[in-house]
Amino acid sequence: MGMFETLILILDSTVRLAIPLMFAALAGLYSERSGIFDIGLEGKMLAAALAGAAAAAVYGSAWIGLFFAIVVSTALASVHESTRTTQRVPSTSAKSPRSARIRFMRSSVAMLTPPFSMAAFSAGMPKASQPI
């Protein structure tokens, strides 16, 4: 394999693996614009990807893995929101309808990114029924 092909493969993998992080950065931007600072987006993505991959491996269905990833991400987002509201953390515009829409969009983006990153990493993994 030549130098040019190696460079193309490296650039391809860089763009492919950076897309979930770009979605998380976009979700962080929207949440920050609404006045809610969420620094745990990558952790939510990793927990949802782990839960989704584990459920897909155990049950043998990518749809069940997607369901588990969405459930875990939503649970972590609701823990973040309940902690923020019960501890009375001040936010600049928490009562505005725009802030509620942005919080919903942030959760949706965080829920959708783990399946994409999981699909990128699981493409070369053997199936659970195949011996290693």
Side-chain angles (χ1 to χ4, degrees):
M1 188 168 10
M3 179 78 149
F4 182 71
E5 292 172 354
T6 304
L7 181 64
I8 293 297
L9 288 175
I10 290 173
L11 289 175
D12 174 55
S13 65
T14 301
V15 170
R16 180 175 40 88
L17 295 176
I19 288 174
L21 292 177
M22 288 190 293
F23 281 144
L26 186 63
L29 174 75
Y30 283 134
S31 67
E32 187 175 341
R33 294 281 294 166
S34 70
I36 299 167
F37 301 104
D38 187 8
I39 59 171
L41 290 171
E42 290 86 2
K44 290 176 196 173
M45 286 175 45
L46 287 174
L50 175 68
V58 168
Y59 293 108
S61 171
W63 292 109
I64 293 176
L66 174 66
F67 174 74
F68 273 85
I70 290 172
V71 166
V72 167
S73 180
T74 305
L76 289 175
S78 54
V79 165
H80 172 259
E81 185 65 21
S82 65
T83 304
R84 189 188 68 78
T85 55
T86 57
Q87 298 298 323
R88 294 182 179 84
V89 175
S91 64
T92 57
S93 60
K95 296 188 186 239
S96 71
R98 178 176 175 259
S99 173
R101 284 193 307 266
I102 289 176
R103 276 194 303 243
F104 176 74
M105 287 171 34
R106 177 193 65 202
S107 297
S108 300
V109 169
M111 284 189 293
L112 290 176
T113 50
F116 294 134
S117 61
M118 185 175 64
F121 287 112
S122 65
M125 295 177 64
K127 296 193 187 292
S129 62
Q130 295 176 347
I132 297 177

